């Protein structure tokens, strides 16, 4: 697996040099769904709406590769003039020491140093450049997968990343209204598929008590601390497929909220799954955040299956 | 015979389908991607299939009827295929597996070679195939302490499963040998050599 640093450099579009990689910065796009039956996670941006917004702000295709930061962002030297946008976790952005706004495109001159600071709320910010970053595709995606190591390696100082050709029309969005990221969000869940493996009060506990996000958080999942969820049975669950957003409960009883790079199958029962609309908030949970779960009834099914043409 | 699949919700856009036996799992895993629209992933498990729909889509209300129809169809199209896998039985846990079964190591090898395996499902790691159909006398439990490093290519058994570790990883299964194959190769299409439904026969390599 080649890192971005191994790419041929000096394309016409220009390039970005990594001065400081931040705490952990990876290339992400919309991932490689459709390979879970081979044991390969979908991966891709953990907070998809934030990543696609960053691309829209600079006039890219929504799935162009962006940088996903973790708590503390990188310092990047641009050797060509380009439009940049930063979305996701709230963070201080500077261009040659002058502050730049989030959720809005800004212009960077050749030679400029862009610094993405420490997130004050939320965990992952997204940095898009007009044209996107150019990165090798693995199974159709430039996403780094933390579980398997597939895709480009996380950024390191000295890496050079070419700019890509993902630009569409000139950006037309000046500034995007975004809902603030909360440090104590409420996530809605659908019970199951294995809620019946737990003691009768386990689901009530999950829905009634606030959990704290531990310091064990990565792209695979977030370990939570709070009341332990007791199981009804000591039987061993046989491996079964897992959905993104699953709340899996290992023998310790402390739930693990599974994110973009989760294993495709698992042997711990899943008590509930976070609803699709709340997955972005789940991906922004950072150590110390307080999370509450609320019931969301299984949604209305689609009226009738479409015939497969 | 009508098979009524048990359908459990797995969030808003996925369901976990419970099935009576792994042959029906393989059948459904094969038919769902062609029989339902908007499918994102179909993941076989042990007597389960997880079906997830693309972002924004939801499972249809007539899902149970659609799945029942697939299960009662006589389709065998696109089934499995088979592969011979050369192996060397020299794993560090061969003696312990023999002791657990109450037979000699040579007899473990003989019974393993005589088994007809089929890939039940793939999970845990890219290309890690859970092989069903092993000799019922060879069902050692997992190790009490998983190894932190299992070499790629290790042939391992635990419970009713056999598997070949596709890459170096931690692992708690009993290592009985080495398979002389590349279970996962990104430059191959598909990258996983062993896929759900495939018949696997181990052949001793000299």
């Amino acid at each position: 697996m080649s890192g971005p640093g191994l790419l041929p450099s000096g394309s016409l579009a220009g390039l970005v040099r990594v001065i400081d990689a931040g705490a952990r910065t990876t290339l992400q796009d919309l991932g490689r769904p459709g390979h879970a039956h081979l044991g390969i996670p979908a991966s891709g941006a953990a907070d998809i709406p934030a990543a696609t917004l960053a691309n829209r702000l600079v006039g890219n295709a929504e799935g162009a590769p962006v940088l996903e930061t973790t708590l503390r962002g990188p310092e990047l030297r641009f050797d060509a003039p380009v439009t940049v946008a930063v979305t996701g976790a709230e963070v201080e952005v500077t261009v040659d020491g002058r502050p730049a706004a989030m959720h809005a495109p800004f212009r960077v001159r050749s030679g400029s140093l862009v610094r993405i600071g420490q997130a004050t709320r939320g965990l992952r910010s997204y940095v898009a450049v007009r044209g996107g970053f150019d990165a090798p595709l693995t199974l159709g995606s430039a996403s780094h997968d933390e579980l398997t190591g597939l895709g480009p390696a996380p950024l390191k100082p000295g890496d050079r990343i070419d700019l890509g050709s993902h630009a569409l029309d000139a950006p037309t969005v000046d500034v995007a209204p975004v809902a603030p990221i909360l440090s104590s969000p409420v996530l809605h869940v659908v019970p199951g598929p294995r809620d019946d493996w737990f003691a009768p009060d386990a689901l009530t506990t999950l829905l009634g008590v606030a959990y704290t996000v531990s310091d064990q958080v990565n792209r695979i999942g977030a370990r939570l601390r709070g009341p332990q969820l007791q199981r009804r049975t000591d039987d061993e669950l046989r491996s079964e497929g897992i959905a993104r957003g699953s709340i899996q409960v290992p023998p310790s009883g402390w739930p693990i909220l599974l994110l973009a790079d989760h294993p495709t199958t698992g042997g711990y029962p899943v008590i509930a799954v976070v609803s699709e609309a709340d997955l972005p908030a789940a991906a922004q949970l950072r150590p110390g955040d307080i999370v509450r779960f609320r019931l969301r009834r299984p949604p209305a099914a689609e009226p009738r299956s479409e015939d497969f043409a | 015979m009508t098979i009524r699949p048990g359908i459990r919700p797995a969030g808003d856009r996925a369901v976990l389908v419970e099935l009576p036996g792994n042959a029906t799992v393989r059948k459904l895993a094969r038919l769902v991607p062609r029989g339902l629209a908007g499918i994102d992933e179909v993941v076989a498990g042990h007597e389960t299939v997880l079906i997830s729909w693309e972002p924004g889509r939801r499972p249809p209300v007539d899902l149970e009827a659609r799945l029942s129809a697939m299960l009662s169809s006589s389709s065998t199209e696109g089934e499995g295929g088979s592969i011979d896998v050369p192996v060397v039985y020299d794993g560090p846990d061969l003696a312990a597996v023999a002791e657990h079964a109450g037979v000699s190591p040579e007899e473990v090898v003989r019974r393993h070679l005589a088994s007809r395996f089929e890939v039940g499902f793939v999970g845990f790691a890219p290309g890690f195939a859970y092989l069903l159909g092993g000799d019922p006398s060879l069902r050692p439990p997992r190790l009490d302490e998983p190894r932190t490093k299992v070499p790629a290519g290790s042939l391992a058994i635990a419970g009713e499963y056999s598997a070949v570790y596709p890459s170096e990883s931690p692992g708690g299964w009993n290592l009985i040998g080495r398979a002389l194959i590349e279970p996962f190769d990104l430059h191959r299409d598909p990258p996983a050599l062993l896929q759900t439904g495939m018949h696997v026969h181990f052949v001793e390599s000299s």
Side-chain angles (χ1 to χ4, degrees), chain A residues 33-39 148 192-194 196 236 238-240 242 265 273 275-276 296 301-306 308, chain B residues 8-9 11-13 18 34 36 41-42 46 48 55-62 66 122-124 126-127 142 160:
Chain A
H35 298 93
H37 63 289
L38 305 178
T148 66
R194 297 292 179 190
D196 54 348
E236 212 169 304
R238 317 269 221 125
S239 289
E240 60 190 26
I242 329 181
T265 63
V273 181
S275 73
E276 189 176 13
R296 177 181 185 333
E302 293 207 342
R304 197 180 64 82
S305 55
E306 294 159 50
F308 203 73
Chain B
R8 292 165 172 261
D12 329 280
R13 61 176 171 105
E18 285 187 301
R34 283 178 273 156
L36 292 173
E41 305 272 13
V42 178
H46 188 99
T48 61
R57 282 182 178 262
R58 299 288 176 259
V61 279
D62 59 351
R66 296 288 291 242
V122 179
F124 174 65
R142 280 187 244 186
E160 66 195 288

Side-chain angles (χ1 to χ4, degrees), chain B residues 3-206:
Chain B
I3 298 169
R4 292 180 65 85
I7 299 178
R8 292 165 172 261
D12 329 280
R13 61 176 171 105
V15 296
L16 185 73
V17 183
E18 285 187 301
L19 294 160
N22 285 301
T24 54
V25 166
R26 294 190 280 275
K27 185 172 186 177
L28 204 63
R30 204 171 65 242
L31 294 178
V32 162
R34 283 178 273 156
L36 292 173
I39 296 297
D40 189 35
E41 305 272 13
V42 178
V43 186
H46 188 99
E47 300 187 347
T48 61
V49 176
L50 182 86
I51 306 174
S52 69
W53 279 260
E54 291 163 356
R57 282 182 178 262
R58 299 288 176 259
V61 279
D62 59 351
L63 180 64
E64 188 181 340
R66 296 288 291 242
L67 297 180
S68 294
M70 287 179 205
L71 289 168
S72 52
S73 80
S74 56
S75 164
T76 56
E77 188 199 333
E79 225 165 54
S82 68
I83 186 172
D84 286 348
V85 174
V87 292
V88 180
Y89 289 94
D90 60 356
D93 301 325
L94 184 60
V97 170
E99 194 177 300
H100 182 265
V103 298
S104 68
E106 293 73 24
E107 183 61 13
V108 170
V109 172
R110 198 192 65 74
R111 291 181 189 182
H112 203 258
L113 284 169
S115 299
R116 292 283 165 185
F117 292 96
E118 192 170 352
V119 179
F121 54 96
V122 179
F124 174 65
F128 188 99
Y130 289 77
L131 304 177
L132 290 161
D135 192 298
S137 67
L138 303 180
R139 293 193 171 174
R142 280 187 244 186
L143 306 179
D144 289 337
E145 276 298 318
R147 289 184 169 86
T148 52
K149 266 188 191 178
V150 173
S154 294
L155 172 63
I157 60 177
E160 66 195 288
Y161 300 116
S162 287
V164 177
Y165 280 82
S167 50
E168 184 184 283
S169 72
W173 291 25
N174 302 273
L175 310 185
I176 62 169
R178 288 172 290 135
L180 310 178
I181 54 168
E182 196 77 60
F184 189 78
D185 177 0
L186 275 173
H187 303 294
R188 191 170 52 206
D189 185 22
L193 184 65
L194 307 177
Q195 297 189 49
T196 300
M198 197 177 267
H199 296 268
V200 177
H201 186 218
F202 291 107
V203 183
E204 191 160 25
S205 176
S206 48

Side-chain angles (χ1 to χ4, degrees), chain A residues 99-120:
Chain A
M102 288 189 72
H103 313 298
F106 55 89
R107 195 76 185 146
V108 165
R109 283 190 304 225
S110 182
S112 283
L113 184 70
V114 173
R115 187 170 171 277
I116 315 294
Q118 182 89 16
T120 50

